Amino acid sequence: GALYGTDLYQPGYDRRFALRPNATVSVSTSVFWLSEVDFVRRSISSGPGHSTGLYEYQKLSYEPIQGAVLSIRQDLERRVIGDPSTSVVTVGPVFDGYPRPHFDVQLNLRKVYVPEGSPSSWLYTALFHYYL
């Protein structure tokens, strides 16, 4: 996918262009891998030129029984590709449950790794969806 926008959510940026290849790979009937890489180029109104960032998402999943999916998820955010000090990485387990039609639950626990000198932390989320 691709995106082009102006002043998208962050008024300091004049223009933003994103290119996003993604893939879903089935390793077997119960193991699958989701992957996405986003390249984002921003023109900055208050400074010189532009910045180019990289955002990446990986999720390896196993469905032991229908409706219960166990996964390991990894995210990477690097606001400036050539500058490792702008990186944040998260890694951790995910549980997705689909107990009945139109209802799902997702539980995430991820360790957040930030550049040196900053403390790492834990991130946890619980999502519940009901679809009409």
Side-chain angles (χ1 to χ4, degrees):
L3 165 83
Y4 175 79
T6 57
D7 289 331
L8 274 176
Y9 305 114
Q10 296 178 354
Y13 294 112
D14 288 335
R15 292 184 307 277
R16 181 180 298 193
F17 176 75
L19 182 62
R20 171 183 299 152
N22 58 40
T24 303
V25 177
S26 177
V27 179
S28 71
T29 56
S30 59
V31 177
F32 53 96
W33 171 55
L34 303 173
S35 177
E36 180 176 311
V37 179
D38 297 346
F39 299 95
V40 179
R41 184 177 178 104
R42 298 177 199 92
S43 297
I44 304 168
S45 61
S46 61
H50 64 276
S51 69
T52 303
L54 172 71
Y55 303 87
E56 176 241 333
Y57 166 85
Q58 306 291 327
K59 186 175 175 185
L60 181 62
S61 301
Y62 170 62
E63 185 176 31
I65 59 172
Q66 185 175 1
V69 181
L70 304 171
S71 306
I72 187 80
R73 175 179 171 170
Q74 181 262 323
D75 295 279
L76 165 72
E77 173 185 348
R78 182 171 285 181
R79 292 189 166 268
V80 179
I81 286 180
D83 185 359
S85 71
T86 64
S87 294
V88 175
V89 177
T90 63
V91 179
V94 178
F95 170 77
D96 290 294
Y98 305 94
R100 55 177 296 168
H102 306 286
F103 181 76
D104 71 68
V105 60
Q106 182 183 82
L107 304 172
N108 288 280
L109 174 65
R110 289 182 283 156
K111 179 74 172 177
V112 179
Y113 298 94
V114 293
E116 286 186 40
S118 301
S120 296
S121 61
W122 285 94
L123 170 69
Y124 53 91
T125 57
L127 299 170
F128 302 95
H129 295 108
Y130 177 73
Y131 301 97
L132 299 176

